[in-house]
């Protein structure tokens, strides 16, 4: 109920704003049964934008960048 007014503001603005997607509860951990919930696409966007602004995804970004660099060396 709390998310509904927020989500409806994006109807017609964000494609498929109300489609379901998986969201990690803890951004530092992988997608697992215990760490994943079902959310709407606009909820996913809102939470991930907030996480990015707070630096919560910096560790994930850095590790992905390092892995890509290692693959490039092979």
């Amino acid at each position: 109920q709390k998310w509904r007014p927020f989500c409806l503001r994006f109807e017609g603005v964000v494609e498929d704003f109300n489609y379901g997607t998986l969201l990690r509860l803890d951004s530092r951990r992988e997608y697992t049964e215990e760490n994943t919930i079902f959310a709407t696409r606009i909820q996913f966007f809102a939470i991930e934008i907030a996480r990015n602004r707070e630096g919560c995804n910096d560790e994930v970004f850095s590790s992905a960048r390092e892995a890509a660099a290692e693959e490039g060396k092979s």
Side-chain angles (χ1 to χ4, degrees), residues 5 12 18 53 57 67 71-73:
N18 62 345
R53 288 180 177 169
N57 289 330
E71 281 185 21
K73 291 179 184 178

Side-chain angles (χ1 to χ4, degrees), residues 1-2 6 11-12 20-21 23 26-27 30 33 37 48 51 53 64 68 70 73:
Q1 289 179 2
K2 292 180 182 182
F6 174 81
E11 187 172 12
T21 188
L23 175 69
D26 182 346
S27 63
E30 296 292 327
E33 188 173 341
I37 62 170
E48 286 300 318
R51 285 177 175 172
R53 288 180 177 169
E70 288 298 317
K73 291 179 184 178

Side-chain angles (χ1 to χ4, degrees), residues 24-74:
R24 292 173 297 148
L25 295 172
D26 182 346
S27 63
R28 297 166 300 193
R29 295 178 36 219
E30 296 292 327
Y31 283 95
T32 63
E33 188 173 341
E34 299 80 27
N35 193 42
T36 306
I37 62 170
F38 189 76
T40 63
R41 179 174 288 181
I42 201 65
Q43 286 173 307
F44 174 85
F45 288 157
I47 291 168
E48 286 300 318
I49 289 168
R51 285 177 175 172
N52 287 334
R53 288 180 177 169
E54 292 177 359
C56 297
N57 289 330
D58 291 351
E59 184 178 325
V60 174
F61 179 75
S62 295
S63 64
R65 179 183 274 175
E66 290 171 10
E70 288 298 317
E71 281 185 21
K73 291 179 184 178
S74 314

